Amino acid sequence: KRLLPLSEQIKWTGCGLCAKVCEYHARAIGNKKVLFFQELCHACGNCTLSCPEGAIQEVPELVGMLEKGHSDNIHFAQGTLEIGYSSPTPVIRALKKWVVDPSAEAIFILDASPGTSCPVVETMRGSDFALFVTEPTPFGLHDLELVAALNEKEFHLPAGIVINKSGVNDGLIEQFAAGKGIPILMRIPLSRAFAEAYARGILLADVQPELRTAFLSLLADIERMLAENRGAQ
């Protein structure tokens, strides 16, 4: 659920502060009324906290479903956005609160879509490390440039790169990584067998057992970089 900020016209004085603080332009003042564009609202709470008259009441609204399960000792969870809603941010935020326990002796892997959209921002917020998985193509490089810039500007997380479908044109990614000082931690070869396994839901390490060593090495590199980052703080 998300908390939908609805205005109480009786208390409303027309100061317009709620519209000024809304970064998503979900509120506007017109014809002596406050206009609320529900589909643009991210339920951030800024308008509610900023209203000097207490004229905004937050009402729960169902926007998605959270599910979780496990396979052996690996636990997983996902959020599904209800039809008709454009922003999955409230679902991602609720999912993180539901499953991520900072005090737990466990590793939490949060997967996000490419680019720098709101779901990516919410997924990165509060994380310890950013692992950029990309492909050696112009489109892959474009998305990598965007998310690396976002991390550099907003989050300052230690980061590394995994090149998927490696072996054709890795120089595109290598040049960018060298310029930004972001290490390439792993390469997953371009392979039809990998694509077929992925389509059938089979782990790549079950198709090519030597990849298990590569993934363990990736985890060790991430842990080392995290330790170095903590030591530098």
Side-chain angles (χ1 to χ4, degrees):
K1 294 182 179 181
R2 70 171 178 173
L3 294 177
L4 199 64
L6 302 180
S7 298
E8 298 181 31
Q9 294 292 341
I10 296 178
K11 296 182 180 180
W12 186 67
T13 61
C15 72
L17 186 58
C18 59
K20 292 178 181 178
V21 301
C22 181
E23 297 184 10
Y24 307 102
H25 308 291
R27 307 184 80 87
I29 308 300
N31 194 26
K32 297 182 180 181
K33 291 183 179 180
V34 56
L35 305 177
F36 177 49
F37 305 101
Q38 180 176 331
E39 65 277 6
L40 298 179
C41 180
H42 282 57
C44 66
N46 269 353
C47 57
T48 304
L49 293 173
S50 301
C51 181
E53 306 299 331
I56 298 176
Q57 179 183 6
E58 293 184 332
V59 178
E61 179 191 38
L62 182 66
V63 295
M65 183 72 65
L66 305 182
E67 301 172 287
K68 63 181 177 181
H70 68 89
S71 177
D72 296 329
N73 62 339
I74 298 178
H75 296 259
F76 54 87
Q78 69 174 14
T80 303
L81 188 67
E82 287 287 310
I83 295 174
Y85 292 92
S86 59
S87 175
T89 303
V91 176
I92 298 173
R93 188 180 300 129
L95 183 64
K96 289 167 63 176
K97 289 182 179 179
W98 190 39
V99 299
V100 176
D101 181 2
S103 64
E105 294 289 333
I107 298 173
F108 295 92
I109 301 174
L110 310 179
D111 187 25
S113 55
T116 55
S117 60
C118 291
V120 177
V121 174
E122 184 58 39
T123 301
M124 292 180 68
R125 182 176 289 117
S127 297
D128 299 310
F129 189 89
L131 184 63
F132 304 138
V133 181
T134 188
E135 298 178 358
T137 65
F139 288 111
L141 176 61
H142 174 71
D143 285 339
L144 176 61
E145 290 172 337
L146 290 177
V147 74
L150 171 67
N151 183 49
E152 184 178 358
K153 180 180 179 180
E154 298 292 338
F155 297 108
H156 315 291
L157 300 174
I161 295 173
V162 170
I163 302 181
N164 192 23
K165 300 182 181 178
S166 172
V168 177
N169 196 20
D170 287 10
L172 271 177
I173 306 302
E174 292 169 348
Q175 184 176 359
F176 172 80
K180 289 294 184 179
I182 305 175
I184 297 175
L185 301 180
M186 185 178 176
R187 301 170 194 258
I188 301 176
L190 177 63
S191 167
R192 180 182 178 88
F194 288 175
E196 291 176 350
Y198 176 80
R200 296 198 304 268
I202 300 174
L203 296 177
L204 299 188
D206 291 336
V207 178
Q208 187 171 322
E210 49 267 38
L211 275 180
R212 293 181 182 274
T213 302
F215 280 116
L216 289 173
S217 177
L218 170 64
L219 177 59
D221 286 337
I222 292 174
E223 291 176 334
R224 172 183 53 79
M225 294 177 66
L226 283 172
E228 291 174 353
N229 183 67
R230 295 189 188 103
Q233 292 179 348

